[in-house]
Amino acid sequence: KPRALNVVNISGANERNVHLECNIVLLGCRGAGKSALTVKFLTRRFISEYDPFLEDTYTSEEVVDQQTVLVRVMDTADQNGPVNPERYLHWANAFLVVYSIDNKKSFEGCCQYLDIISQYNRGALHENLVLLLGNKLDMERYRQVSKADGSALASRHGCLFREVSACLDFRLVQQVFHEAIQEARRE
Ligand code: GDP
Ligand code: MG
């Protein structure tokens, strides 16, 4: 039975003591691995079965560039494409659009999210960071989306591109989140 971990305030984030903040939202098709990546980033562990309907926002204190940042991570759970993007468009400083490299449909599903974000960013005061993230790099043998395709889609939208795996090295997942935080703060 899928379980949901309570990872809120896992590192004892205390909003009053932190001056820098960054809100990150994870978007993408169901099954791409958004929850697995979120849990990995927050707990260093891979949880293989996570409630696919659970949408929640978690907080964590992260040290990036020797500065403490209060990071909020919204793990969305759209079931069938983008619904209600207003809930994160104004809120987020960084958008992680996730697909699974072994699932072409999940890659195609990213386009709608990237379009919505591009459109929003055009009218926004500050451009927000967007990162296209190919997950499940451990499934290389079943790859359906080439690195070149990922990279091309990212450049069409003027965003960053990375590939990771929620079940491999924690540091690589942490690196992607920290990079997003770094870049978002620079905007
Ligand atoms: P979400 O719907 O985007 O939140 O996707 P989940 O995080 O619930 O993951 C969907 C399925 O993919 C689950 O069975 C996970 O165990 C699996 N999964 C997630 N990330 C990875 C990964 O990096 N590698 C592999 N092999 N499986 C993963
Ligand atoms: Mg999920």
Side-chain angles (χ1 to χ4, degrees):
K1 189 179 168 211
R3 59 197 175 125
L5 261 201
N6 179 14
V7 288
V8 182
N9 287 332
I10 195 77
S11 58
N14 181 344
E15 308 224 3
R16 280 165 306 173
N17 295 334
V18 184
H19 302 293
L20 293 168
E21 299 181 9
C22 185
N23 294 345
I24 302 177
V25 62
L26 281 86
L27 300 165
C29 285
R30 177 172 166 176
K34 300 177 296 296
S35 300
L37 287 166
T38 301
V39 171
K40 181 79 166 194
F41 172 59
L42 296 169
T43 71
R44 299 181 176 229
R45 287 188 297 158
F46 174 66
I47 304 288
S48 62
E49 290 301 319
Y50 200 85
D51 182 350
F53 297 98
L54 185 69
E55 173 161 317
D56 215 337
T57 301
Y58 309 99
T59 62
S60 173
E61 249 178 50
E62 297 292 318
V63 179
V64 183
D65 289 343
Q66 285 116 47
Q67 288 186 302
T68 305
V69 184
L70 179 78
V71 179
R72 299 188 191 86
V73 182
M74 186 191 291
D75 172 27
T76 63
D78 287 343
Q79 297 297 306
N80 229 326
V83 197
N84 248 339
E86 303 76 28
R87 72 187 186 285
Y88 51 76
L89 281 176
H90 299 279
W91 177 84
N93 308 111
F95 299 89
L96 301 192
V97 181
V98 184
Y99 66 93
S100 170
I101 68 154
D102 66 350
N103 184 326
K104 199 163 177 83
K105 256 186 108 174
S106 74
F107 180 65
E108 290 161 0
C110 289
C111 292
Q112 281 182 287
Y113 288 102
L114 291 169
D115 286 341
I116 288 170
I117 298 163
S118 296
Q119 198 180 339
Y120 174 75
N121 268 344
R122 272 199 290 278
L125 230 50
H126 303 281
E127 271 226 349
N128 295 301
L129 174 104
V130 189
L131 196 153
L132 180 64
L133 188 56
N135 185 37
K136 309 197 189 179
L137 198 49
D138 56 292
M139 301 294 272
E140 184 67 56
R141 279 192 302 163
Y142 307 99
R143 187 190 273 275
Q144 292 183 357
V145 184
S146 72
K147 209 164 177 173
D149 285 345
S151 178
L153 180 61
S155 16
R156 271 209 300 285
H157 286 270
C159 68
L160 296 174
F161 171 64
R162 297 287 178 270
E163 286 185 343
V164 285
S165 165
C167 59
L168 297 179
D169 191 0
F170 162 72
R171 278 166 304 172
L172 297 176
V173 174
Q174 186 189 41
Q175 219 169 58
V176 168
F177 278 84
H178 280 194
E179 197 172 359
I181 295 163
Q182 246 163 3
E183 293 295 326
R185 286 182 30 225
R186 215 167 273 150
E187 308 280 348

